[in-house]
Structure formats: structure tokens, C-alpha cells
Amino acid sequence: MLQKSGILFDEVHTSLLRRSIRTTNLILMEMGQEYIPVYKNWRLNERNYGDLVGHHKKEMVKKHGVEQVKRWRRSYDEPPPAMADDHKYHPALDPRYRDMLNKIPKSESLKCTMERSSVYWDNIIAPSLKQEKTVLIVGHENNLRSLIMRLEGIPKEDVINLCLPRAVPLAYRLDENLKPLDRADGQLDEATGFLRGEWLGGDTAVKEILERDRKQVYDTSIEECLETGSSRDKWRTWMEFAIGKPQPEMVAKSAGSCLEDGGMGTSKRVA
């Protein structure tokens, strides 16, 4: 989708999580832009889901109820239970974070995530955009939600209804004050009803993906994975050939196995 869009990037910003780094590498390979700078920072990591990390979403819905899990996943200022010090996936066990453990909370709300992502936006991304660079941010759903919430001015009481699909690029055109310009049709997107950005996959396709994801997480009558199928299996086989089988961190944090969501999104252009 990005290749067909004709967008060329000046730089990429992503997190320290391997899935986002691998996504970045694949994108740049497909676009023939491996030469541009790539900046990695923990402030673009997915939010810390605390004690829920490593647990299947649907199992948590069955245990805690739909409304509670939705508030943990989507509300503005209600974090999940804190991660125990002996948790299997505690950041203290990961060498990437050994020098910043004092900065990583044991659980995060969207508000907490916005506070750290805003530091990176203000200090690193915004100056690049003001230099009229076209920027690609490869991130994670809640980290991107925090950036988009600020960019679009979405009220905290409404952001619980903002969901983002995985791996569908969202392109923004920004004015000199880094405010989103209107879409060509002058309307907000049909998929979420909040955004002035353009879904490169089209509003209809994104709306269908979001509905599928909603059922996958919250509809306890559905046991099978709605993303599986022959095309999904072919993609997985190709990915394993290209980059190897998932490592333990990928298994623990993939969108299908726990409550850490993956995704790619927002380009003075942000894509």
C-alpha cells in the first residue's frame, strides 16, 4: 500500500520492540528505501499492560468481563493491575531496558503512554516535520492512539471508542502548526469517525477489520481465530522464511496472544 501510494519518506521512527523494528525493515525493503535514517526509542513502545502482559485477551474477558477489559485496553486513565516484580516478562529481565528501569512504570494507562510519547513527538518528530520532512512512524496501537488523540484533539471521554487496525497505513497532511489538514472529501474517516487522516487501505476495509477485531476480543462465543485461513498461513510461511520463526518475546507480545497490541500507522506528511 505504501509503495503504491507514491509516498517517499525522509526518516522513520519506531520503538524498541522487535516486531516494530522488523516491520520497519520489511517496509523499507519493499519501498527500496533501506538507506534512510531509522530512529528507535522506548518512548514509542506499546503501553505496559502490567500484570495482563502474556495473557490472552479473550481469557481476560472471560475472567474480568467485557466492560472491565475494554476500560483497561481503551480508556484514558484506568491502568490494568501493576506487573509483579517476579513477572515472567518484567523489563528488568530485558537488556534493552537495564539503564531505564526507573522510567518504566509497572502498568500504564493511555494517559501515561501519552505523557511519554509526547516527549518524543515534541523533541524529535515535530522538529523534523517543521523542516518539511516526510516522516513514517511505525508503532503500536495504544502508542499511536496517544499520538492521534493529541493530533486530532479527541476528548478523553471519547477516546475509549478509538480503535486502530494493525498494518494499515494512515497518512496525514499537516499545516505549518502541525495540525491535520482536511481530507479531500472534507469528512472524517468512516472507519472510526474521528480522523482527518487517509487510510491507504480505504475506510471500508478498515471498518471491516475493526469489527472483526472487536468480535475476536470481546465476543466470547467465538473461539476460533478470525484472522486464520489459507492466505494467512501463506503469509506466515513467507514471513518465517524471510525473518525466521517468532522468538519468545514475539510470542509473548503478539496481538493474537496477549494484551499488547501491534500496528502501524501515522506521516508534514506523517504516515
Side-chain angles (χ1 to χ4, degrees):
M1 284 182 280
L2 282 171
Q3 187 180 41
K4 291 180 180 179
S5 74
I7 298 173
L8 291 176
F9 298 103
D10 295 303
E11 61 190 41
V12 185
H13 300 267
T14 192
S15 74
L16 293 182
L17 299 181
R18 294 175 64 199
R19 62 185 184 271
S20 64
I21 296 171
R22 288 179 169 184
T23 299
T24 298
N25 292 340
L26 287 169
I27 292 168
L28 296 181
M29 287 168 58
E30 288 296 314
M31 297 183 69
Q33 283 203 277
E34 297 97 326
Y35 54 87
I36 67 174
V38 176
Y39 303 98
K40 309 179 189 75
N41 195 281
W42 72 275
R43 292 187 183 277
L44 296 181
N45 278 16
E46 175 60 301
R47 61 181 281 205
N48 183 352
Y49 275 100
D51 200 48
L52 302 184
V53 172
H55 294 286
H56 197 284
K57 298 171 188 172
K58 186 153 289 183
E59 292 304 316
M60 293 298 96
V61 169
K62 291 177 180 178
K63 181 177 180 179
H64 299 287
V66 170
E67 292 305 316
Q68 179 61 74
V69 172
K70 185 176 182 180
R71 291 199 304 274
W72 282 336
R73 297 184 72 228
R74 296 289 176 260
S75 70
Y76 179 66
D77 55 5
E78 183 174 345
M83 178 178 283
D85 291 337
D86 60 352
H87 195 284
K88 183 178 180 180
Y89 300 112
H90 196 285
L93 303 175
D94 194 321
R96 284 172 291 190
Y97 308 114
R98 64 163 62 100
D99 296 325
M100 60 183 75
L101 287 176
N102 61 317
K103 298 179 181 179
I104 301 177
K106 294 184 177 182
S107 181
E108 288 183 297
S109 63
L110 184 64
K111 179 182 178 182
C112 301
T113 308
M114 178 182 283
E115 288 172 355
R116 62 171 164 85
S117 66
S118 291
V119 173
Y120 192 81
W121 176 274
D122 291 338
N123 294 339
I124 306 297
I125 297 176
S128 290
L129 293 172
K130 289 178 179 178
Q131 294 173 25
E132 299 188 353
K133 291 183 178 180
T134 299
V135 173
L136 173 65
I137 303 172
V138 181
H140 311 272
E141 184 174 10
N142 281 287
N143 182 273
L144 294 173
R145 287 174 73 236
S146 75
L147 293 173
I148 291 171
M149 179 183 177
R150 173 179 170 176
L151 196 64
E152 293 278 6
I154 300 172
K156 61 183 181 181
E157 60 270 17
D158 292 339
V159 76
I160 193 170
N161 297 311
L162 174 63
C163 299
L164 304 178
R166 293 184 293 279
V168 181
L170 175 64
Y172 275 99
R173 295 177 301 121
L174 307 180
D175 64 18
E176 64 275 9
N177 297 312
L178 305 187
K179 299 298 183 183
L181 295 173
D182 288 340
R183 291 158 46 119
D185 61 7
Q187 305 295 317
L188 298 177
D189 77 305
E190 294 179 12
T192 72
F194 288 108
L195 311 180
R196 284 168 283 180
E198 293 272 0
W199 292 109
L200 299 191
D203 286 8
T204 300
V206 170
K207 193 171 184 178
E208 292 175 356
I209 292 170
L210 292 177
E211 176 59 18
R212 180 203 65 194
D213 290 349
R214 184 195 66 78
K215 291 179 179 178
Q216 187 70 74
V217 175
Y218 298 115
D219 189 340
T220 55
S221 68
I222 297 175
E223 295 295 337
E224 74 274 15
C225 179
L226 299 179
E227 294 183 74
T228 57
S230 59
S231 60
R232 173 77 172 182
D233 293 338
K234 289 178 182 178
W235 171 250
R236 184 181 297 277
T237 299
W238 187 91
M239 287 287 287
E240 289 183 354
F241 171 78
I243 63 178
K245 292 185 177 181
Q247 296 300 309
E249 181 234 2
M250 294 290 287
V251 174
K253 297 178 179 178
S254 69
S257 65
C258 73
L259 281 160
E260 285 214 71
D261 301 307
M264 186 191 75
T266 73
S267 118
K268 240 149 149 205
R269 243 168 5 191
V270 183

